[in-house]
Amino acid sequence: MFKHFYGMSTNPFEKGIKEKDAYQSKDLKEMISRLEYLNENRGIGLFTAAPGSGKTFALRCFAKKVNPNLTKVIYLCFTTVTTTEFYRQSISIDKRLHYILVWDEAQYLNNDILKDLKLLMNFSMDSKDCFSLVLIGQPILNNILEKQIHEALKQRIIINYNFEGISEDESIEYIHTRLSLAGASIEIFDKNAVLAAFRSCMGSVRRLNMILYKSLIIGAQHEKNIIDTDIIMAAANEISLL
């Protein structure tokens, strides 16, 4: 409904955005550059961010760029992959390739698994250095790794990055870029509405997308040609109730 009303070819704030259309935020560029360094130098990488900041999407963008004949990225998530499956993936590594094993939601790993990761790296990182590990999680993961019991694992981390979240300037550029890609006018949202959306998203790209998407629905329902602050706040309130 709102796509027709606002003259859009697609939903500009949908989840399944293609990697080639990614907005080049600071966080995205910083994570990709560090992953590229890890791909060249091998070891452990650590990335932390609040939920919805775009860390998994940044990983997808990196995976699209690597040469599949030289590097293979294996994505594992603690919520969907068992510990046994992780070790099965690790043991079955083909050393002709550089494998980057990525464990998302790593803040949920228990101490025994984290200790085993150190031993696993000792075993796998021989003279050929064919195996790297990426730990992705929420900021609490940094606190977990500060514990003395994980000192040996922490010392093996050669890159790390803590996401800052989308900034005000980035959010303005992001919204305009997404609207343009959808074939819509950037003036659909007035300036105050854009600022209100940024202040309501708490640095989360996911939350920003949800607020903007919901505001388009509300705006079209009320036949508002311009999205104003009142519509943004109504959208943000609906999101908070989900």
Side-chain angles (χ1 to χ4, degrees):
M1 173 184 170
F2 72 84
K3 289 188 291 184
H4 176 74
F5 183 80
Y6 291 113
M8 300 174 175
S9 59
T10 61
N11 172 8
F13 307 111
E14 63 185 350
K15 181 178 180 180
I17 180 177
K18 296 180 180 178
E19 291 80 5
K20 67 180 181 65
D21 294 327
Y23 172 71
Q24 298 297 308
S25 68
K26 178 184 177 182
D27 285 335
L28 180 75
K29 291 187 285 189
E30 292 284 356
M31 181 168 176
I32 289 178
S33 67
R34 283 165 172 77
L35 286 170
E36 289 172 343
Y37 178 86
L38 183 69
N39 192 29
E40 295 175 0
N41 295 278
R42 321 300 167 88
I44 300 178
L46 172 66
F47 298 93
T48 56
S53 298
K55 52 189 182 295
T56 306
F57 179 69
L59 175 68
R60 280 171 43 201
C61 292
F62 165 75
K64 281 283 186 179
K65 296 175 63 177
V66 300
N67 184 338
N69 296 317
L70 300 176
T71 303
K72 183 173 183 180
V73 179
I74 299 176
Y75 176 81
L76 304 172
C77 182
F78 187 72
T79 59
T80 57
V81 176
T82 65
T83 304
T84 301
E85 174 63 18
F86 174 75
Y87 288 123
R88 184 182 299 116
Q89 291 276 15
S90 304
I91 294 171
S92 64
I93 283 175
D94 179 352
K95 293 191 176 182
R96 292 174 298 177
L97 295 174
H98 173 216
Y99 278 69
I100 301 179
L101 293 184
V102 181
W103 199 317
D104 204 353
E105 301 293 351
Q107 71 273 7
Y108 295 121
L109 298 176
N110 62 44
N111 288 336
D112 290 336
I113 295 177
L114 288 172
K115 286 191 296 182
D116 286 349
L117 289 178
K118 176 182 71 69
L119 298 176
L120 186 63
M121 297 301 289
N122 280 339
F123 172 78
S124 298
M125 295 190 69
D126 56 15
S127 59
K128 196 170 182 178
D129 287 343
C130 63
F131 169 53
S132 292
L133 176 68
V134 174
L135 298 175
I136 299 178
Q138 296 179 25
I140 194 174
L141 180 59
N142 290 311
N143 298 332
I144 293 172
L145 293 176
E146 285 294 334
K147 295 179 180 180
Q148 182 61 38
I149 192 174
H150 302 312
E151 181 62 26
L153 178 64
K154 183 182 175 183
Q155 289 179 3
R156 291 183 174 275
I157 296 173
I158 64 172
I159 57 165
N160 69 289
Y161 182 69
N162 302 306
F163 275 50
E164 298 177 2
I166 192 168
S167 69
E168 180 178 317
D169 288 342
E170 286 179 329
S171 67
I172 296 172
E173 283 188 48
Y174 173 77
I175 293 171
H176 290 173
T177 299
R178 299 308 305 157
L179 289 172
S180 296
L181 284 172
S185 169
I186 64 173
E187 296 179 356
I188 288 174
F189 293 86
D190 69 31
K191 293 182 180 179
N192 289 331
V194 170
L195 293 178
F198 163 71
R199 291 166 184 160
S200 300
C201 78
M202 299 176 288
S204 167
V205 178
R206 180 189 301 158
R207 183 174 173 81
L208 179 61
N209 282 335
M210 292 172 65
I211 292 171
L212 295 170
Y213 169 62
K214 182 65 71 173
S215 70
L216 288 172
I217 295 176
I218 296 173
Q221 288 173 341
H222 292 84
E223 298 185 345
K224 298 286 188 178
N225 293 320
I226 303 296
I227 303 294
D228 58 19
T229 303
D230 289 340
I231 295 176
I232 291 293
M233 297 313 298
N237 289 335
E238 285 196 26
I239 296 302
S240 298
L241 295 175
L242 295 178

